[in-house]
Amino acid sequence: MIILDENTKCVVQGVTGKQGSFHTQEMLKYNTKVLAGTSPGKGGQKFGEINVYNSIMETKEELDINASIIFVPHPSPWTLPLKQFHSLI
C-alpha cells in the first residue's frame, strides 16, 4: 500500500484505456497530482489537461515523477510496466 501526500507526483500507465481513464478522473477529483499518463503509440495526445507519453522513460525525461499507478490490460499485467520501472533503476 502506498499513501500519497502533497509531495507525490504521479504518472498513470494506461491512462487512455477504459479503467485508466475512469480512475484518473477519480484521482483528479481528490486532487491527486497526476502529472502525466502513458499509453504506447498515443504519445503527444492529451487526456484532459494531462499530457500522454509513449513510455515511462519518455515521461521521466521531461518530468520529475515519483509514483506510478498501473491500468494496463495485458496477458501478464506486470511485464511491461515492470520492465519500464526497472529501466529507471
Side-chain angles (χ1 to χ4, degrees):
M1 173 193 252
I2 297 175
I3 299 174
L4 307 178
D5 65 16
E6 65 277 355
N7 300 312
T8 306
K9 296 173 266 179
C10 296
V11 59
V12 177
Q13 296 184 56
V15 71
T16 60
K18 181 179 178 181
Q19 294 298 318
S21 61
F22 170 78
H23 289 288
T24 300
Q25 290 171 343
E26 294 299 304
M27 291 167 61
L28 292 170
K29 287 179 187 176
Y30 285 91
N31 297 317
T32 304
K33 290 182 190 171
V34 179
L35 300 186
T38 64
S39 193
K42 295 186 179 180
Q45 295 181 13
K46 285 199 167 273
F47 176 79
E49 296 296 316
I50 300 168
N51 290 326
V52 178
Y53 295 84
N54 288 310
S55 68
I56 291 292
M57 289 298 293
E58 194 177 291
T59 307
K60 284 291 288 181
E61 288 173 6
E62 292 191 31
L63 300 171
D64 180 29
I65 54 173
N66 57 16
S68 177
I69 186 162
I70 304 168
F71 297 103
V72 179
H74 189 274
S76 174
W78 298 105
T79 304
L80 182 60
L82 284 178
K83 284 182 183 178
Q84 291 182 347
F85 175 75
H86 286 138
S87 70
L88 300 174
I89 299 175

